[in-house]
Amino acid sequence: MQKASKVTVHVSNISDMGRRFTNAWNRAASGKKVNETHVTFLDLQTLLETLSLRRLELLKYVHQHGAENVKQLAAALNRDYKNVHQDVSVLESAGLLLRDGRRFSAPWIELSASVSLMAS
């Protein structure tokens, strides 16, 4: 399966996340091609903490160059191994950084954000 070229990051609630999933499922069930990636955060604070400037820099680097491992990535970014390891863990847990064995990738060309103003 080809990866989506864009990842959409949402700040919304579980119901919105479920609606996006159901919509994609129904489109796929009807034979339509579904090639999209969504990541949902339940609050803006978590999104902002997860996508710090350093972590965005890390994602950009990995998108352009890939990374064999955390040590190589820390050296390339001229950053402390422990901090890069923490950033990798957070981004990987959020689904924004992918791992194949030890190698990392960020296959998206674009990351867009959507913040719901509706009550949670």
Side-chain angles (χ1 to χ4, degrees):
M1 180 175 107
Q2 180 183 2
K3 292 289 180 188
S5 63
K6 174 181 170 181
V7 61
T8 304
V9 177
H10 302 270
V11 176
S12 62
N13 56 41
I14 299 290
S15 295
D16 289 339
M17 184 172 60
R19 278 191 287 277
R20 280 189 295 279
F21 176 83
T22 302
N23 181 280
W25 181 278
N26 289 336
R27 285 183 286 141
S30 71
K32 294 181 182 171
K33 182 177 178 182
V34 178
N35 186 19
E36 55 194 48
T37 302
H38 297 271
V39 174
T40 302
F41 292 91
L42 299 179
D43 60 80
L44 182 59
Q45 184 66 35
T46 304
L47 173 123
L48 295 173
E49 290 170 0
T50 301
L51 290 175
S52 67
L53 292 177
R54 290 278 193 167
R55 290 179 182 156
L56 284 171
E57 175 187 25
L58 186 151
L59 283 173
K60 285 180 185 179
Y61 179 87
V62 172
H63 173 75
Q64 293 172 358
H65 307 284
E68 293 300 319
N69 53 52
V70 175
K71 182 178 179 182
Q72 182 268 326
L73 186 55
L77 295 172
N78 197 29
R79 292 186 50 206
D80 178 72
Y81 174 89
K82 182 179 174 184
N83 293 335
V84 172
H85 186 274
Q86 176 65 25
D87 289 348
V88 163
S89 294
V90 169
L91 292 169
E92 191 176 12
S93 292
L96 295 169
L97 187 66
L98 306 180
R99 183 191 303 243
D100 183 14
R102 292 179 62 192
R103 183 166 176 75
F104 298 104
S105 68
W108 304 283
I109 295 168
E110 179 183 341
L111 185 152
S112 67
S114 170
V115 179
S116 174
L117 298 179
M118 300 300 290
S120 294

